[in-house]
Amino acid sequence: MNRIHQSVGALAARSTAATRVFEEHGIDFCCAGARSFADVCLEKQLDPEAVLAEIAAIELDTVSSGVTDWSAQPLDALIAHILDRHHTYLRAELPRLETWLAAVRKAHGERDGVMLAALDDVFSALKHELEMHLRKEETILFPAIRRSDGWIDQPVAVMEHEHDDAGRALAELRRITGGFQPPDHACATYRALYAGLAGLEKDLHIHIHLENNILFPRALAEVARGRGC
């Protein structure tokens, strides 16, 4: 199939270069991965051939640098990568961002109180949901995938729904902060907070992509094969 007519999720699943290019152009390849690449380019007024050329250029560098193609790795290796890279990151970064946000509210509350209160509400809810989400993946879903249990359909659907919720929260954080652009009067902690939130967005996009577009479809396909479907 011509790559222009594939979904953005399918393109991202087959190319780490695509995830980088999509991120740069603001193309949602994780929660909205089912959308047609051609439609997304039309909506964003992008030339699809030009975007594919960007991807191809990075793919040449990717091959030479030996970047891992997770679509071709065993599921157990992919799960281990998600745990080691993304779950570990979230467990360290979420409390750090929470501390910085509290400090910024204390120092800048008089001037930016309304905006910072809204930011705190969204971030605190996202932090709580992500912490619960990680525990469910680690204690229920990932062990079931490793055992090739036949009942993973429903847990996968729940995780995908929670990914959608996280995507909406990230979009709201971006909106509230004006694209994570700190105000001119921002102190060092204020700027660190915004940079950290931008990093959280980027990491979660990759994290959700690896699960929605690679891990879950492959795990469900293995279960279907085991059922003789």
Side-chain angles (χ1 to χ4, degrees):
M1 178 188 294
N2 189 311
R3 297 176 92 183
I4 289 177
H5 302 297
Q6 294 182 17
S7 69
V8 291
L11 286 172
R14 291 173 175 82
S15 170
T16 56
T19 66
R20 290 172 57 183
V21 173
F22 290 165
E23 192 79 39
E24 290 171 3
H25 288 293
I27 295 173
D28 184 352
F29 57 89
C30 51
C31 297
R35 295 194 63 194
S36 160
F37 171 66
D39 290 345
V40 171
C41 286
L42 180 64
E43 179 182 289
K44 290 185 169 290
Q45 298 183 318
L46 296 170
D47 178 352
E49 293 290 356
V51 176
L52 289 176
E54 291 181 53
I55 293 171
I58 295 175
E59 283 174 339
L60 291 176
D61 292 336
T62 298
V63 170
S64 62
S65 63
V67 175
T68 301
D69 176 6
W70 290 109
S71 68
Q73 297 299 310
L75 289 186
D76 192 61
L78 175 54
I79 289 172
H81 171 72
I82 291 170
L83 292 171
D84 294 342
R85 171 64 182 87
H86 298 288
H87 284 215
T88 298
Y89 166 83
L90 285 173
R91 287 212 163 87
E93 192 65 9
L94 291 172
R96 180 164 36 241
L97 293 172
E98 182 178 50
T99 298
W100 286 344
L101 181 50
V104 170
R105 287 195 71 180
K106 183 176 181 180
H108 298 271
E110 183 173 349
R111 184 167 187 172
D112 299 331
V114 174
M115 182 276 292
L116 290 172
L119 184 62
D120 199 350
D121 286 345
V122 176
F123 174 78
S124 295
L126 175 62
K127 177 178 181 291
H128 174 73
E129 291 302 319
L130 285 174
E131 288 168 344
M132 296 289 289
H133 184 86
L134 298 186
R135 284 197 289 272
K136 284 185 278 189
E137 287 190 335
E138 292 168 3
T139 62
I140 300 172
L141 182 56
F142 288 175
I145 290 175
R146 282 172 161 152
R147 294 190 304 265
S148 297
D149 288 348
W151 48 265
I152 64 170
D153 308 58
Q154 185 59 32
V156 163
V158 171
M159 295 299 100
E160 289 177 332
H161 176 73
E162 292 181 1
H163 287 167
D164 290 343
D165 289 342
R168 284 188 285 271
L170 289 174
E172 185 64 5
L173 291 176
R174 174 170 281 276
R175 185 195 67 79
I176 292 170
T177 60
F180 307 115
Q181 295 298 316
D184 292 340
H185 61 272
C187 63
T189 303
Y190 211 146
R191 295 180 185 279
L193 170 65
Y194 273 39
L197 290 172
L200 175 68
E201 178 191 61
K202 185 172 183 178
D203 187 83
L204 271 175
H205 282 171
I206 298 296
H207 183 172
I208 293 171
H209 153 67
L210 289 174
E211 294 183 358
N212 277 12
N213 298 327
I214 301 178
L215 177 63
F216 295 166
R218 288 181 58 194
L220 290 170
E222 286 196 6
V223 167
R225 283 195 296 271
R227 293 170 178 162
C229 300

